[in-house]
Amino acid sequence: MKIKLGKLPSNAIVRMTIILPDALKGQLDRYAKLHSETWNQSVSSAQIAVHILAQFLATDRAFRQSERSTLIDR
């Protein structure tokens, strides 16, 4: 099976406290389980959330354009 998020790099874990709806937490738990099974790499939903957010930001075209614009304006 090919899932969107690839194998995770071994980076330090960043701790952040967020409030999620139960349904979203359940989805993150299920995605972390699928990711763990797919890549044979044990990850928690908290660990995977960081990478999902990073991937989302990296693939948001408008956000990337805004970031480039901000860098030029500096």
Side-chain angles (χ1 to χ4, degrees):
M1 177 181 298
K2 176 85 170 157
I3 60 176
K4 189 166 187 134
L5 192 63
K7 192 168 183 179
L8 302 181
S10 58
N11 293 335
I13 296 173
V14 176
R15 186 172 299 268
M16 185 171 121
T17 303
I18 60 172
I19 298 170
L20 302 173
D22 287 337
L24 180 56
K25 173 63 167 83
Q27 287 179 309
L28 281 172
D29 289 342
R30 290 188 300 278
Y31 194 95
K33 181 178 182 212
L34 176 61
H35 189 278
S36 294
E37 292 168 356
T38 300
W39 296 105
N40 196 27
Q41 178 186 33
S42 181
V43 295
S44 69
S45 56
Q47 290 171 303
I48 206 122
V50 173
H51 298 282
I52 290 171
L53 286 169
Q55 184 171 0
F56 174 83
L57 293 174
T59 58
D60 185 303
R61 187 172 292 151
F63 179 71
R64 286 194 333 253
Q65 288 173 348
S66 171
E67 289 286 284
R68 281 194 298 270
S69 168
T70 302
L71 290 175
I72 292 170
D73 292 342
R74 288 184 186 174

